[in-house]
Every structure is written in structure tokens, then in C-alpha cells.
Amino acid sequence: STYGNRRMSGARGWDAAPPDHFHHQPDDELHGLCGVGAPSYLCGSPITTDCSCCKCDLYGMPDWNTDQQEVLDIHYRHL
């Protein structure tokens, strides 16, 4: 499937994802909460076990909002 602008078209239809399926800024669905990547892989906290980076985009890839049942359904169906 194709991905861009925090949207995924989905290869099968049921796996399509709009921006609200990913973690994002409260007032802007097109920007992530934070970013994680080289060289430090930290997102502001030096503690790696506190989950402060859990909702961050990794290398620009948005993080799925698994608090939403619809997102969980997509993942379960995929597996």
C-alpha cells in the first residue's frame, strides 16, 4: 500500500488508515507528537524505560494509535 502525509491507502481496502489512526499533535493531525532517531534515539528523556518515546514517530514513520479499537482491528486482521 502507499503511504504519505500521515495516510495509508491500504492494499486491501480494510487496511486504509487516515491521519487520526496515528498519534499526532492535538490541534494538527499531520504532525507527530515527537520524533525519535539517530544518533541518540531519545525524545527528551534520558531514561529509555519510561515510555516517554512510545508515541513518537520513529525515523518519520508515524506511531499507530493503538488506543483506538479500529486500529487494533486493522492489526488483528492483518495478523
Side-chain angles (χ1 to χ4, degrees), residues 9-57:
S9 65
R12 295 167 187 85
W14 56 263
D15 54 346
D20 67 334
H21 277 49
F22 303 102
H23 289 117
H24 54 78
Q25 295 288 337
D27 57 344
D28 187 355
E29 290 184 336
L30 299 181
H31 290 93
L33 295 172
C34 47
V36 178
S40 69
Y41 296 96
L42 298 176
C43 58
S45 173
I47 302 168
T48 58
T49 58
D50 66 357
C51 206
S52 61
C53 297
C54 289
K55 295 180 180 182
C56 294
D57 294 358

